[in-house]
Amino acid sequence: MLIENKTFDELSVGDSSELKRLCTQDDMVIFANVSGNHNPMHLVDPDGEGPREPPAPSMFIASLISAVIGNVLPGAGTLYRSQTLHFCGRAHAGEELVSRVRVIGKDAAEGTVTLETEVRRAGDDALVTTGEAVVEAPREKMSYDDRDLPGLVVQRHRHFEELLRRAEPLPPLPTAVVCPEEALSLGGALLGMKHTLITPILVGCADKIRATAEEIGADLTDIEIVDEADHAAAARRAVALVHEGRAGGVMKGHLHTDQLLRPMVDREKGLRGDRRFTHVFVMDVPGLGHPLLVTDAAINISPDLRVKVDIVQNAIDVARSIGIETPKVGVLSATENVNPDMPSSIDAALLSKMADRGQITGGLVEGPLAMDNAVDIGAARTKGLKSPVAGHAEVLVAPDIDAANMLAKQLTFISHAEGAGLVLGARVPVILNSRSDDDMSRLASCAVAALHHARITGKTAEDAE
């Protein structure tokens, strides 16, 4: 978008402008490092001992005023003379802030402009900061394209770091790793072992596994290898290890998902549980103040209502396993209104009512919700939605595999999120990574599996001693 400044001669008393910005925890980390102000009052403690909703630094709030002055009014070429500030409220991560300036005076002799300044919370219009700025307004016309500005993505992935912190003290989960016959899949399993998340049993072509280990410089001493040259046979052997009580989890290696799952869904010899097999992504989205779960992006193509009940319940169970005490579940559709011509909106409404009546337990379920009012409190308020879930969803349930898969990949490739993948519904957690996933995704998947297994079996950190 082309942005133009307003010169001194173009400015008039009464001119005003504003900018909106979502305040995030990453903003506070960036501000702390750039300013050198490391006051722990403004930072979430990764060990969980600090404030869970830290207030934004006051001078960060003040910088939002300078953004309006430097970008819009007067804009490029403006220089500060002075700024007064009065802080009369607080802002926190997850709140949208509106910074406004208004011209209240001009001094032709000095070439200065006096501006009334303020910052308010968008949700309730509460005043956060007021003040007055005196600036030297530009004399020459300037313009630039905001697409030319460098972008900044903070990939801290603090939520995955928290998962690792919670999971590492647990007993390692004995895990049958199926066909770890290339570098990423074998490396991911060994990384999970290094962090004491899993104890891998490598099931596949022994020669290929050892050759891959040599390629990546890994030592397989004391790691069990079960030699199965065929992918289908390796998947069946992994299921047998679970039945024998030797494995408490299964991890996908370098094979297709349908090959991995086929023996698991066998009605006689498989690993079927009481619910449908469903897939959950636990995603660490930069700038988002909590993990975000997306389901079902990998298994159920066009789920009916009965299947969606299991999809929602499985996702709630995973969310609780990773520390979300009462998960907020947004069931997505294209609209927040029930539309008889839109089956996804009807299913969403029914799932919400089923949760109200105890047919789905452990979480707060609301639907239908459109994507915007599921995750953005401003959008929810604009639509008049007032509930604990609208604008605060921690679990997103998509209408079908197309929508869920696109959503997860958009978060990954556009928002630079990391995703941990897990299959639920089997007797044991199934770690399901894409063959292109990096080390952090694989490691986080192991952590989610370990935490979920610990929750359903009652294992604790003391059991590891």
Side-chain angles (χ1 to χ4, degrees):
M1 181 175 69
L2 190 65
I3 297 177
E4 289 189 337
N5 67 353
K6 296 191 77 170
T7 65
F8 180 88
D9 293 334
E10 292 175 321
L11 291 168
S12 300
V13 173
D15 288 348
S16 65
S17 192
E18 68 178 41
L19 288 176
K20 293 183 179 180
R21 181 188 177 104
L22 178 67
C23 180
T24 71
Q25 289 181 5
D26 282 339
D27 288 329
M28 301 183 201
V29 173
I30 295 169
F31 184 82
N33 282 277
V34 171
S35 68
N37 175 11
H38 297 157
N39 182 353
M41 175 60 70
H42 304 303
L43 300 171
V44 171
D45 190 329
D47 294 328
E49 297 177 357
R52 300 310 298 174
E53 296 186 3
S58 296
M59 295 310 295
F60 167 75
I61 303 299
S63 72
L64 302 182
I65 296 170
S66 70
V68 185
I69 292 173
N71 290 329
V72 187
L73 187 73
T78 302
L79 295 174
Y80 258 113
R81 283 280 187 92
S82 65
Q83 171 79 61
T84 62
L85 296 165
H86 174 63
F87 299 102
C88 43
R90 301 294 176 197
H92 300 81
E95 295 177 342
E96 188 176 42
L97 303 176
V98 183
S99 45
R100 298 187 178 97
V101 302
R102 185 172 67 89
V103 177
I104 58 174
K106 293 178 66 177
D107 186 329
E110 292 286 331
T112 59
V113 175
T114 302
L115 302 158
E116 179 184 73
T117 64
E118 68 173 28
V119 178
R120 292 179 179 269
R121 289 199 299 262
D124 56 8
D125 201 39
L127 193 61
V128 179
T129 303
T130 63
E132 190 173 287
V134 178
V135 301
E136 297 177 14
R139 293 289 187 176
E140 297 180 359
K141 198 69 176 172
M142 300 174 64
S143 64
Y144 63 92
D145 194 321
D146 64 354
R147 291 175 298 182
D148 295 334
L149 296 176
L152 175 64
V153 176
V154 182
Q155 298 193 54
R156 296 175 54 236
H157 301 299
R158 62 183 178 274
H159 304 308
F160 278 3
E161 291 164 5
E162 172 66 11
L163 289 180
L164 296 179
R165 187 190 69 80
R166 292 168 57 92
E168 284 179 353
L170 295 171
L173 177 63
T175 302
V177 186
V178 186
C179 302
E181 298 165 355
E182 52 79 51
L184 285 175
S185 57
L186 179 59
L190 297 180
L191 190 61
M193 181 181 71
K194 179 180 177 181
H195 285 261
T196 69
L197 301 171
I198 66 171
T199 299
I201 303 170
L202 308 180
V203 186
C205 177
D207 289 342
K208 290 182 180 178
I209 293 172
R210 291 192 179 98
T212 301
E214 184 176 354
E215 174 191 336
I216 64 176
D219 182 6
L220 300 184
T221 303
D222 298 329
I223 298 177
E224 182 178 0
I225 300 177
V226 179
D227 189 15
E228 293 285 357
D230 177 73
H231 283 187
R236 289 194 299 271
R237 187 72 183 104
V239 171
L241 290 172
V242 174
H243 283 297
E244 294 166 12
R246 297 181 56 203
V250 177
M251 184 176 186
K252 178 187 174 185
H254 193 60
L255 77 166
H256 291 292
T257 300
D258 59 348
Q259 289 180 304
L260 177 72
L261 297 181
R262 189 172 294 120
M264 295 186 192
V265 298
D266 184 275
R267 293 190 178 277
E268 295 182 2
K269 299 180 180 180
L271 300 178
R272 286 176 176 266
D274 295 332
R275 298 186 200 139
R276 179 88 171 208
F277 279 48
T278 70
H279 180 270
V280 176
F281 270 123
V282 178
M283 309 204 75
D284 190 335
V285 185
L288 194 61
H290 55 79
L292 185 67
L293 281 66
V294 176
T295 187
D296 177 339
I299 294 181
N300 294 285
I301 295 174
S302 185
D304 59 17
L305 180 63
R306 188 185 302 275
V307 174
K308 287 181 179 179
V309 171
D310 287 348
I311 288 173
V312 173
Q313 189 65 69
N314 283 341
I316 289 173
D317 290 351
V318 173
R320 296 182 68 188
S321 295
I322 65 172
I324 303 175
E325 186 174 345
T326 306
K328 301 178 183 69
V329 182
V331 188
L332 300 179
S333 184
T335 175
E336 64 281 355
N337 297 315
V338 177
N339 184 337
D341 296 324
M342 193 175 294
S344 63
S345 72
I346 299 174
D347 284 352
L350 291 171
L351 291 166
S352 179
K353 179 55 68 175
M354 292 173 77
D356 289 344
R357 296 190 172 182
Q359 293 173 269
I360 298 171
T361 61
L364 303 174
V365 181
E366 183 169 349
L369 291 174
M371 181 65 188
D372 57 347
N373 48 58
V375 299
D376 183 84
I377 186 62
R381 285 170 174 158
T382 298
K383 295 293 181 67
L385 301 175
K386 297 179 181 179
S387 80
V389 177
H392 302 285
E394 296 156 322
V395 179
L396 298 177
V397 180
D400 54 35
I401 196 171
D402 288 334
N405 192 274
M406 285 184 233
L407 173 57
K409 288 182 178 176
Q410 285 168 348
L411 290 169
T412 300
F413 292 100
I414 297 177
S415 299
H416 306 280
E418 294 272 8
L422 200 66
V423 172
L424 286 303
R427 288 172 50 184
V428 297
V430 180
I431 300 167
L432 192 65
N433 289 110
S434 167
R435 283 174 286 180
S436 62
D437 280 346
D438 62 13
D439 284 348
M440 178 54 87
S441 290
R442 294 173 187 274
L443 192 58
S445 297
C446 292
V448 174
L451 288 166
H452 186 62
H453 181 265
R455 180 174 175 271
I456 61 179
T457 60
K459 298 289 185 181
T460 66
E462 286 71 23
D463 296 318
E465 298 177 355

